[in-house]
Coordinates of all heavy atoms in Angstrom, one line a residue:
E1178 N -16.5 -3.6 -1.5 CA -15.2 -3.2 -1.6 C -14.7 -2.9 -3.0 O -14.1 -2.0 -3.3 CB -14.4 -4.2 -0.9 CG -14.6 -4.3 0.6 CD -14.5 -3.0 1.3 OE1 -13.7 -2.1 0.9 OE2 -15.1 -2.8 2.3
L1179 N -15.2 -3.8 -4.0 CA -14.9 -3.6 -5.3 C -15.4 -2.4 -6.0 O -14.8 -1.7 -6.7 CB -15.1 -5.0 -6.1 CG -14.3 -6.2 -5.8 CD1 -14.6 -7.4 -6.7 CD2 -12.8 -5.9 -5.9
V1180 N -16.7 -2.2 -5.8 CA -17.4 -1.1 -6.3 C -16.8 0.2 -5.7 O -16.5 1.2 -6.4 CB -18.9 -1.1 -6.1 CG1 -19.6 0.2 -6.5 CG2 -19.5 -2.4 -6.9
T1181 N -16.6 0.3 -4.4 CA -16.0 1.5 -3.8 C -14.6 1.8 -4.4 O -14.3 2.9 -4.6 CB -15.9 1.2 -2.2 OG1 -17.2 1.1 -1.8 CG2 -15.2 2.4 -1.6
N1182 N -13.8 0.7 -4.6 CA -12.4 0.9 -5.1 C -12.7 1.4 -6.5 O -11.8 2.4 -6.9 CB -11.8 -0.5 -5.2 CG -10.4 -0.3 -5.2 OD1 -9.7 0.5 -4.5 ND2 -9.6 -1.0 -6.0
A1183 N -13.6 1.0 -7.4 CA -13.7 1.5 -8.7 C -14.1 3.0 -8.7 O -13.6 3.8 -9.5 CB -14.7 0.6 -9.5
I1184 N -15.0 3.3 -7.8 CA -15.5 4.6 -7.8 C -14.5 5.6 -7.2 O -14.2 6.7 -7.9 CB -16.8 4.8 -6.9 CG1 -18.0 4.0 -7.5 CG2 -17.1 6.2 -6.5 CD1 -19.1 3.9 -6.5
Q1185 N -13.6 5.3 -6.3 CA -12.6 6.1 -5.7 C -11.4 6.1 -6.5 O -10.7 7.2 -6.7 CB -12.2 5.7 -4.4 CG -13.4 5.9 -3.4 CD -13.0 5.5 -1.9 OE1 -12.0 4.8 -1.7 NE2 -13.9 5.9 -0.9
H1186 N -11.0 5.0 -7.2 CA -9.6 5.0 -7.8 C -9.6 4.9 -9.3 O -8.6 5.0 -9.9 CB -8.8 3.8 -7.2 CG -8.6 4.0 -5.7 ND1 -7.9 5.0 -5.1 CD2 -9.1 3.3 -4.7 CE1 -8.0 5.0 -3.8 NE2 -8.7 3.9 -3.5
G1187 N -10.8 4.4 -9.9 CA -10.9 4.2 -11.3 C -10.9 5.6 -12.0 O -11.3 6.7 -11.4
R1188 N -10.4 5.6 -13.2 CA -10.3 6.8 -14.0 C -11.0 6.5 -15.3 O -10.3 6.1 -16.3 CB -8.9 7.2 -14.2 CG -8.3 7.8 -12.8 CD -6.9 8.1 -13.0 NE -6.4 8.3 -11.7 CZ -5.8 7.5 -10.8 NH1 -5.8 6.2 -11.2 NH2 -5.3 7.9 -9.7
P1189 N -12.3 6.6 -15.4 CA -12.9 6.2 -16.6 C -12.4 7.1 -17.8 O -12.1 8.3 -17.5 CB -14.4 6.6 -16.4 CG -14.5 6.5 -14.9 CD -13.3 6.9 -14.4
E1190 N -12.3 6.5 -19.0 CA -11.9 7.3 -20.1 C -12.9 8.4 -20.4 O -14.0 8.3 -20.0 CB -11.7 6.3 -21.2 CG -10.8 5.2 -21.2 CD -11.1 4.1 -22.1 OE1 -11.9 4.2 -23.0 OE2 -10.4 3.0 -22.1
S1191 N -12.3 9.4 -21.2 CA -13.3 10.5 -21.3 C -14.5 10.3 -22.0 O -15.6 10.8 -21.6 CB -12.5 11.7 -22.2 OG -12.1 10.9 -23.4
D1192 N -14.7 9.2 -22.8 CA -15.9 8.9 -23.5 C -16.6 7.9 -22.7 O -17.7 7.5 -23.1 CB -15.7 8.5 -24.9 CG -14.8 7.3 -25.1 OD1 -14.1 7.0 -24.1 OD2 -14.9 6.6 -26.1
V1193 N -16.2 7.4 -21.7 CA -16.7 6.3 -20.9 C -17.0 6.8 -19.4 O -16.0 6.8 -18.6 CB -15.9 5.0 -20.8 CG1 -16.7 3.8 -19.9 CG2 -15.7 4.4 -22.2
E1194 N -18.1 7.3 -19.0 CA -18.4 7.8 -17.7 C -19.2 6.9 -16.9 O -20.2 7.2 -16.3 CB -19.2 9.1 -17.8 CG -18.3 10.2 -18.5 CD -17.1 10.6 -17.6 OE1 -17.1 10.5 -16.4 OE2 -16.1 11.0 -18.2
C1195 N -18.7 5.6 -16.9 CA -19.5 4.5 -16.2 C -18.5 3.5 -15.6 O -17.4 3.3 -16.0 CB -20.6 4.0 -17.1 SG -19.8 3.0 -18.5
I1196 N -19.2 2.7 -14.8 CA -18.5 1.5 -14.2 C -19.5 0.3 -14.6 O -20.8 0.5 -14.5 CB -18.4 1.6 -12.7 CG1 -17.4 2.7 -12.4 CG2 -18.0 0.3 -12.1 CD1 -17.4 3.1 -11.0
D1197 N -18.9 -0.8 -15.0 CA -19.7 -2.0 -15.3 C -19.5 -3.0 -14.2 O -18.4 -3.3 -13.7 CB -19.2 -2.7 -16.6 CG -19.3 -1.7 -17.9 OD1 -20.5 -1.1 -17.9 OD2 -18.5 -1.5 -18.7
F1198 N -20.6 -3.5 -13.8 CA -20.5 -4.5 -12.6 C -21.3 -5.8 -13.0 O -22.3 -5.7 -13.9 CB -21.5 -4.0 -11.5 CG -21.8 -4.9 -10.4 CD1 -21.0 -5.3 -9.3 CD2 -23.1 -5.6 -10.5 CE1 -21.3 -6.2 -8.4 CE2 -23.4 -6.4 -9.4 CZ -22.5 -6.8 -8.4

Side-chain angles (χ1 to χ4, degrees):
E1178 297 307 329
L1179 292 182
V1180 171
T1181 298
N1182 204 46
I1184 290 169
Q1185 290 181 347
H1186 303 292
R1188 292 177 187 83
E1190 300 166 0
S1191 59
D1192 61 338
V1193 180
E1194 292 295 327
C1195 63
I1196 293 171
D1197 298 314
F1198 167 84

